[in-house]
Amino acid sequence: MLKKIGPGVLVAAAFVGPGTLTMCTLAGAQFGYALIWALLVSVLATIVLQGMAGRIGVVAQTGLVDVVRTELKTPWIKKFVIVVVLAAILIGNAAYEAGNIGGATLGLEQLFPNKTLISFYPTIVGIFIFLLLWFSSYKILERVFVGLVGIMGVSFLICALMTKPAFLDILKGMVVPAMPEGGLFTVIALVGTTVVPYNLFLHASLVKQKWKSSKELKTVKWDTVVSIGLGGLVSMAILVTAASVPMDNINNALDMAKALEPLFGKMAVYFMAIGLLAAGITSAITAPLAAAFVASSCFNWGGKMDDRRFKFVWTLVLLCGVFFLSFNIKPIEVIQFAQVANGLLLPIMAILLLWIVNRKNVMGEHKNTAFQNILGFAIVGFAIFLGIKSILKVMGVY
């Protein structure tokens, strides 16, 4: 069964990054098990959207932007969508890359607290990722990610089991939706860090790298459901751990690990640090990779990972992350612009995905069923709600 694991594990690794870990930590610390249902809903929404993206990739054997460029006939709409995609993915991923590398750096600092080396950790992480992307093929990257996600999953699950959680309360939190006072923003943030627009482009592009025939659709579906489901389990493990920590002032995963240390010893900190390192590295790899795939599709470069232009794009995104983090630069205006662009991109892509998977000239006999469309419309409505909230938040209205 492990041979069937593919692009789905890269998608799971991409959304279980430092941002997701921080939000899951805050959700558990502030609201206990009450918001696990929100994580479950976000994972299910991700499975539906990524399932559509993966299906397009294997049936059409092309990236999402390529399909959009072919199927959208109105020139101004086509140009608008491509500009939004480029702005959201390229600029957004460059701005957010510092956070991904920062997560890996925090993990390294806990594992190797050498004051002389700490200032070099962002550069060390950046060099490691550069060498991995430059010299690796898709198959090698896939194996690396399987290993990293495995390490991350085991680390966080051990932390969760250490706390001896109340399983009946967890089950109740999953099936009985609750909205504690002040919990709406956290719910939106939990979903927003799991349903990530750039993963749609990454998934479709990687699926066509691995599978070349629509006969593999069942394998694609299995890979998507299992991989993203495991990613959701990791997120839930973090939330459960945070809910069990006997400490009020918790702002991130390492605060939680330190709170566990008196109960479970130094190993709690080590397990959490290893998980954070793996989460940071995986997200710091997938963000530049997704940006490169999007640029390749938008400019019609062919989508090959060994293309110099493809490598130039992911190198630029990676360098931005290392630079911003190394010099403690926070490009607030750029990040706010990226948030607005992503707020626009998620509903646009959800609508386009649903439209594309219903087009017989693209999908043939593999177009959506009635049930898939019902799920799709529900997710589109949810994506529009999230997008509007994201934009209003940046504007200071919400």
Side-chain angles (χ1 to χ4, degrees):
M1 300 299 282
L2 282 174
K3 290 181 180 179
K4 293 183 179 181
I5 289 287
V9 77
L10 276 78
V11 173
F15 77 74
V16 185
T20 300
L21 300 186
T22 299
M23 286 315 307
C24 291
T25 299
L26 294 174
Q30 294 172 7
F31 304 106
Y33 304 132
L35 298 184
I36 292 183
W37 65 269
L39 261 182
L40 183 62
V41 168
S42 64
V43 170
L44 293 175
T46 302
I47 288 173
V48 173
L49 286 175
Q50 297 295 158
M52 288 194 286
R55 193 147 39 101
I56 291 168
V58 74
V59 173
Q61 282 295 298
T62 188
L64 288 186
V65 179
D66 298 303
V67 178
V68 168
R69 197 171 54 238
T70 303
E71 295 302 311
L72 284 177
K73 305 301 181 185
T74 309
W76 74 266
I77 295 178
K78 185 190 301 186
K79 288 178 182 177
F80 173 75
V81 171
I82 290 175
V83 167
V84 171
V85 168
L86 273 172
I89 305 302
L90 266 69
I91 298 173
N93 286 12
Y96 300 143
E97 182 71 350
N100 295 327
I101 296 173
T105 300
L106 278 176
L108 271 179
E109 287 176 9
Q110 291 302 308
L111 292 171
F112 308 102
N114 187 311
K115 291 182 180 179
T116 306
L117 289 176
I118 281 176
S119 59
F120 296 101
Y121 282 162
T123 305
I124 292 171
V125 171
I127 290 171
F128 172 76
I129 293 169
F130 176 85
L131 293 174
L132 188 64
L133 283 172
W134 189 272
F135 293 107
S136 295
S137 64
Y138 167 72
K139 288 184 178 180
I140 294 173
L141 278 179
E142 188 178 274
R143 290 168 188 166
V144 169
F145 270 79
V146 168
L148 287 171
V149 171
I151 291 168
M152 179 168 58
V154 169
S155 299
F156 291 139
L157 286 173
I158 288 174
C159 286
L161 293 172
M162 278 181 173
T163 63
K164 297 181 180 178
F167 289 103
L168 286 178
D169 290 341
I170 293 172
L171 187 61
K172 181 183 176 183
M174 283 185 179
V175 299
V176 181
M179 186 61 70
E181 186 177 350
L184 179 60
F185 171 75
T186 305
V187 169
I188 293 170
L190 282 173
V191 179
T193 60
T194 306
V195 187
V196 184
Y198 84 70
N199 280 343
L200 299 172
F201 300 93
L202 182 67
H203 199 186
S205 296
L206 291 176
V207 160
K208 71 184 182 70
Q209 298 271 341
K210 185 175 179 71
W211 293 298
K212 302 298 182 184
S213 168
S214 57
K215 294 178 182 178
E216 303 287 353
L217 274 172
K218 284 187 177 179
T219 305
V220 175
K221 183 178 179 180
W222 185 93
D223 169 55
T224 302
V225 172
V226 172
S227 298
I228 295 173
L230 288 173
L233 187 62
V234 171
S235 298
M236 289 180 190
I238 287 289
L239 190 152
V240 166
T241 306
S244 309
V245 171
M247 182 179 173
D248 294 326
N249 189 22
I250 293 177
N251 297 308
N252 55 53
L254 285 179
D255 286 347
M256 178 170 62
K258 289 170 183 174
L260 290 172
E261 187 176 352
L263 298 174
F264 305 111
K266 198 71 176 174
M267 288 307 294
V269 178
Y270 287 147
F271 279 124
M272 194 64 70
I274 290 169
L276 190 56
L277 175 62
I281 287 176
T282 53
S283 292
I285 294 172
T286 52
L289 203 57
F293 275 123
V294 166
S296 181
S297 292
C298 287
F299 297 115
N300 202 22
W301 293 340
K304 293 183 179 180
M305 292 177 65
D306 58 356
D307 188 296
R308 288 184 179 180
R309 294 164 296 185
F310 185 95
K311 290 183 175 182
F312 171 78
V313 173
W314 64 247
T315 300
L316 185 62
V317 172
L318 181 59
L319 284 175
C320 285
V322 174
F323 178 77
F324 291 149
L325 188 63
S326 297
F327 295 95
N328 198 27
I329 297 171
K330 296 180 180 178
I332 302 300
E333 291 81 6
V334 177
I335 290 172
Q336 287 179 335
F337 173 80
Q339 287 174 332
V340 170
N342 275 287
L344 282 171
L345 182 60
L346 181 57
I348 287 172
M349 285 313 302
I351 292 167
L352 285 174
L353 273 176
L354 192 58
W355 176 62
I356 292 167
V357 291
N358 278 286
R359 290 183 68 78
K360 196 165 185 179
N361 64 312
V362 177
M363 302 303 294
E365 60 182 302
H366 304 294
K367 70 186 188 76
N368 262 16
T369 63
F371 177 69
Q372 287 172 325
N373 277 331
I374 291 171
L375 287 177
F377 279 115
I379 301 300
V380 164
F382 198 43
I384 292 171
F385 170 76
L386 281 175
I388 292 171
K389 287 291 185 183
S390 175
I391 293 169
L392 291 178
K393 179 175 176 288
V394 174
M395 295 171 64
V397 178
Y398 172 76

